Amino acid sequence: MTAPDRQTASDFIRDIINDDIRTGKYGGRVHTRFPPEPNGYLHIGHAKSICLNFGIAAECRGLCNLRFDDTNPAKEEDEYVRSIIEDVRWLGFDWQDRLFYASDYFEPMYDCAVQLIRAGKAYVDDLSADDIREYRGTLTRPGRDSPHRNRSVEENLDLFTRMRQGEFEDGSRVLRAKVDMASPNLNMRDPVMYRILHARHHRSGDNWCLYPMYDWAHGLEDSIEGITHSICTLEFEDHRPLYDWFLDQLGVYHPQQVEFARLNLSYTVMSKRKLLELVEQGQVTAWDDPRLPTISGLRRRGYTPEAIRDFCDRIGVAKTDSTIDIALLEHCIREDLNKRAPRFMAVLNPLRVVIDNYPHDRTEQLEAVNNPEDPAAGTREVPFSRVLYIERDDFREEPPPKFFRLAPGREVRLRYAYIIKCVGVTRDNHTGEVTELHCTYDPATRGGNTPDGRRVKGTIHWVSADHAVPAEVRLFDRLFTVEDPGVDDFRKSLNPGSLRVVTGYLEPGLAGAAPGIRVQFERLGYFCVDSKDWAPERPVFNRTVALRDSWARIEKQLP
Ligand code: ATP
Ligand code: MG
């Protein structure tokens, strides 16, 4: 095997793997896997693991499997399987013909369990779950042997067979590994290998009423698939001795487990249990709600696979837990969309502007640049007419210092159009609120030029009122108000203002924009046409991210 192509900076996992290639462990092979349990949708933390496993395989000309770790029928569903397949593919990774299901290995796993029983390394225990916990002891108190620990091989074989045949009730018996009740590592105190569960499995149906526990199943899955490096998150470090013990006792092919720190992100939660709770309790609309850190939520929000992969590259892989600032994720999508999102003008909080000296019946097409970052993107025409909308925020009756936009008697530049001057204000008789501005335009400033060299500092965006396309625009804020919503009851810190819906007025070029299209609304942020609520006659735009980049500022302050 040749040396890996290096695109990503090295890290301790890549170092281990490169050493193994060099020394010929596993014959120089590299074979990883991404093993999600189909009990929820994937989130950005999973993306880290996906990029790591598939990324390393690609760099080392190795292979990476997609494997569903579907050993718990109570919480798993086909919908999750489908969404996971879609998400991994969308992120840009390919498992070729290596899509596997742990449930397809139930039969060989069972045979291996019988092998351990025969070797006197596993026994059927009749203790209840509570008693097993009690007997297990604690970090300071050694465990005690179960009264059933020394059953004969024959009795164990008989009971285990009958467990499989459905003779016993849920929870009445388990199969345990006979390891060491005095081990300082609690995972080694005769861990449960099988439990009885009369539940329908999303794939194997009613074939089984006996289901393997994670620690027993996972190493076998890896072994069966010929995995070389079983990369998992840090909480499994204490389980590694057990992973090794099972494979050693069986004398089968033995992959190496390697642990890394999971991704934590500020202002959000990442556990599937918590995400499911938010979905089920209606705090968000679904698993793909654009406010969630799920892959499908990020996709709907307008994130690109490139930005997510870039993010995973930048955060790197380490052995100690840390929390990443969500501003870094936002920085990555901004950087990507800045390069490729075409610009448009849209007004989200409209104030009517009448250009008094512009003819009633006239419409001009003005040329606008599609993307200043990409000359190949060309230009487009934007209609200009007598009545416009500008953002309410771009006008102040009493402008504070350094306010360079529109105010009574002042001039401002309309992007790609003219310089206008505010000559009058109309207000609501009752509320006093400004309802309309009267302005004049200077025909000599077409395109925003000032041939006389006069200084006009402010430039604002606008749309022609008659031509604008109204659209539903969804503005998102962080889902939680605190940096670490995980510490307390996470529902208490939900941000009540995480979704604001407004009617926006868009440049007519956006009429009929297809679902998934990503654009920049000048000065307002990047937006994406919603792929779920979209209808040709009713455009819905999600704001992916605002323009102001707090990460750039944070980065400057970093040591
Ligand atoms: P959760 O804690 O969100 O329920 P999980 O670990 O139970 O996640 P799995 O479906 O078992 O979810 O995860 C599949 C793979 O993704 C595992 O290898 C797991 O280690 C990895 N993974 C899960 N969450 C993260 C994370 N936050 N950062 C990095 N990797 C993760
Ligand atoms: Mg898990």
Side-chain angles (χ1 to χ4, degrees):
M1 178 146 313
T2 45
D5 299 328
R6 180 67 64 233
Q7 268 131 36
T8 305
S10 201
D11 51 61
F12 78 96
I13 295 187
R14 288 174 165 91
D15 290 345
I16 291 173
I17 291 180
N18 282 327
D19 276 349
D20 290 347
I21 293 174
R22 236 187 331 270
T23 61
K25 191 176 175 184
Y26 309 114
R29 272 187 325 118
V30 174
H31 198 154
T32 56
R33 86 285 174 262
F34 173 64
E37 182 183 353
N39 61 350
Y41 280 57
L42 297 182
H43 51 61
I44 183 81
H46 292 112
K48 175 177 181 178
S49 174
I50 293 168
C51 290
L52 187 62
N53 280 292
F54 280 94
I56 285 177
E59 289 157 28
C60 301
R61 298 198 179 86
L63 302 171
C64 181
N65 298 353
L66 175 59
R67 179 206 307 149
F68 288 101
D69 203 353
D70 55 350
T71 53
N72 180 4
K75 292 182 175 172
E76 296 162 5
E77 284 174 29
D78 258 346
E79 178 195 342
Y80 298 140
V81 169
R82 283 192 299 272
S83 74
I84 290 169
I85 288 176
E86 183 186 0
D87 289 350
V88 180
R89 194 168 279 148
W90 178 78
L91 278 173
F93 298 104
D94 183 10
W95 51 90
Q96 292 152 320
D97 57 351
R98 294 179 314 281
L99 172 62
F100 299 119
Y101 293 86
S103 55
D104 288 343
Y105 309 144
F106 282 171
E107 198 66 53
M109 277 180 197
Y110 179 87
D111 293 343
C112 286
V114 169
Q115 186 189 329
L116 283 196
I117 294 173
R118 283 192 204 284
K121 297 291 182 182
Y123 62 96
V124 173
D125 198 350
D126 308 351
L127 289 184
S128 67
D130 283 345
D131 283 342
I132 289 180
R133 203 170 307 120
E134 160 62 24
Y135 273 67
R136 176 164 292 150
T138 63
L139 284 175
T140 51
R141 186 162 53 80
R144 280 182 296 143
D145 286 3
S146 161
H148 312 289
R149 195 172 199 256
N150 291 314
R151 273 184 163 139
S152 70
V153 168
E154 288 66 36
E155 191 183 357
N156 280 318
L157 284 174
D158 173 59
L159 285 171
F160 192 50
T161 308
R162 287 159 60 197
M163 279 166 70
R164 176 178 183 168
Q165 284 163 352
E167 214 174 290
F168 309 119
E169 277 172 32
D170 289 4
S172 60
R173 286 191 161 85
V174 292
L175 185 74
R176 297 178 72 175
K178 201 184 229 179
V179 191
D180 178 6
M181 289 306 289
S183 171
N185 182 342
L186 293 179
N187 296 304
M188 301 298 273
R189 294 186 188 170
D190 290 11
V192 173
M193 295 165 61
Y194 278 97
R195 59 196 174 127
I196 300 173
L197 195 63
H198 291 265
R200 203 182 158 71
H201 187 278
H202 72 111
R203 275 176 63 84
S204 60
D206 295 318
N207 288 350
W208 292 87
C209 58
L210 200 57
Y211 288 96
M213 304 302 288
Y214 177 90
D215 285 322
W216 164 244
H218 204 83
L220 273 176
E221 296 160 21
D222 288 339
S223 177
I224 290 170
E225 292 177 15
I227 299 304
T228 56
H229 300 84
S230 177
I231 301 170
C232 62
T233 40
L234 226 44
E235 68 271 23
F236 292 104
E237 195 168 21
D238 290 346
H239 296 240
R240 186 174 357 115
L242 184 55
Y243 181 100
D244 291 337
W245 188 88
F246 278 132
L247 297 178
D248 286 343
Q249 296 305 315
L250 292 167
V252 294
Y253 169 77
H254 194 148
Q256 178 184 347
Q257 177 179 304
V258 187
E259 310 86 15
F260 71 100
R262 62 171 47 227
L263 168 66
N264 301 302
L265 204 55
S266 62
Y267 295 100
T268 193
V269 292
M270 212 99 85
S271 114
K272 283 189 274 191
R273 181 181 60 75
K274 289 177 182 164
L275 294 172
L276 177 65
E277 221 175 290
L278 292 173
V279 173
E280 282 185 336
Q281 296 181 354
Q283 312 279 13
V284 293
T285 54
W287 280 97
D288 65 357
D289 189 298
R291 290 168 292 180
L292 289 181
T294 52
I295 306 293
S296 51
L298 291 168
R299 174 167 62 234
R300 222 180 132 186
R301 178 131 172 190
Y303 273 74
T304 60
E306 290 82 357
I308 294 176
R309 295 201 303 260
D310 179 36
F311 170 74
C312 291
D313 249 16
R314 290 186 196 218
I315 58 176
V317 188
K319 193 96 192 170
T320 39
D321 275 313
S322 67
T323 298
I324 303 289
D325 193 324
I326 198 165
L328 176 58
L329 181 61
E330 294 168 348
H331 173 75
C332 291
I333 185 61
R334 252 185 225 110
E335 210 173 73
D336 188 25
L337 293 178
N338 180 44
K339 283 179 276 172
R340 52 167 145 176
R343 275 56 168 171
F344 287 92
M345 290 194 284
V347 172
L348 300 188
N349 185 12
L351 176 59
R352 235 171 98 91
V353 172
V354 179
I355 313 286
D356 289 337
N357 60 340
Y358 198 87
H360 279 271
D361 52 357
R362 186 150 148 216
T363 300
E364 265 179 284
Q365 296 294 338
L366 301 173
E367 189 179 57
V369 174
N370 284 335
N371 185 352
E373 301 292 321
D374 176 13
T379 60
R380 68 185 185 286
E381 292 193 324
V382 183
F384 183 87
S385 66
R386 181 179 159 90
V387 181
L388 313 171
Y389 293 134
I390 65 167
E391 295 293 344
R392 208 161 256 283
D393 275 357
D394 284 335
F395 172 78
R396 294 285 176 83
E397 271 202 284
E398 284 157 31
K402 296 201 176 147
F403 183 87
F404 298 119
R405 290 164 280 163
L406 206 54
R410 290 222 190 148
E411 286 189 322
V412 78
R413 179 182 293 101
L414 295 179
R415 181 92 157 136
Y416 300 122
Y418 294 99
I419 288 171
I420 59 169
K421 182 174 188 173
C422 178
V423 295
V425 174
T426 310
R427 55 183 86 245
D428 184 291
N429 283 340
H430 299 291
T431 64
E433 192 197 27
V434 175
T435 52
E436 188 178 85
L437 302 181
H438 284 268
C439 294
T440 56
Y441 86 114
D442 178 351
T445 58
R446 195 174 198 267
N449 299 317
T450 47
D452 56 357
R454 74 180 185 270
R455 276 171 49 90
V456 178
K457 267 197 169 169
T459 300
I460 63 175
H461 62 273
W462 55 276
V463 292
S464 165
D466 278 349
H467 301 88
V469 180
E472 177 176 328
V473 178
R474 297 173 180 172
L475 303 171
F476 305 107
D477 195 356
R478 303 199 159 141
L479 190 51
F480 293 93
T481 53
V482 297
E483 224 172 282
D484 185 0
V487 283
D488 204 5
D489 176 358
F490 68 101
R491 286 155 306 189
K492 282 193 195 136
S493 52
L494 272 165
N495 176 4
S498 63
L499 169 64
R500 197 154 58 88
V501 181
V502 299
T503 300
Y505 295 86
L506 322 181
E507 216 181 287
L510 283 171
I517 294 282
R518 303 181 187 94
V519 297
Q520 185 194 98
F521 290 166
E522 293 212 19
R523 300 175 63 225
L524 298 175
Y526 294 99
F527 292 74
C528 173
V529 180
D530 192 80
S531 48
K532 214 171 184 180
D533 299 334
W534 175 88
E537 69 287 354
R538 180 171 167 273
V540 177
F541 280 80
N542 295 325
R543 177 151 74 185
T544 311
V545 68
L547 289 181
R548 189 172 311 122
D549 190 340
S550 51
W551 181 253
R553 189 165 37 81
I554 294 166
E555 207 169 30
K556 270 195 211 119
Q557 294 163 358
L558 293 177

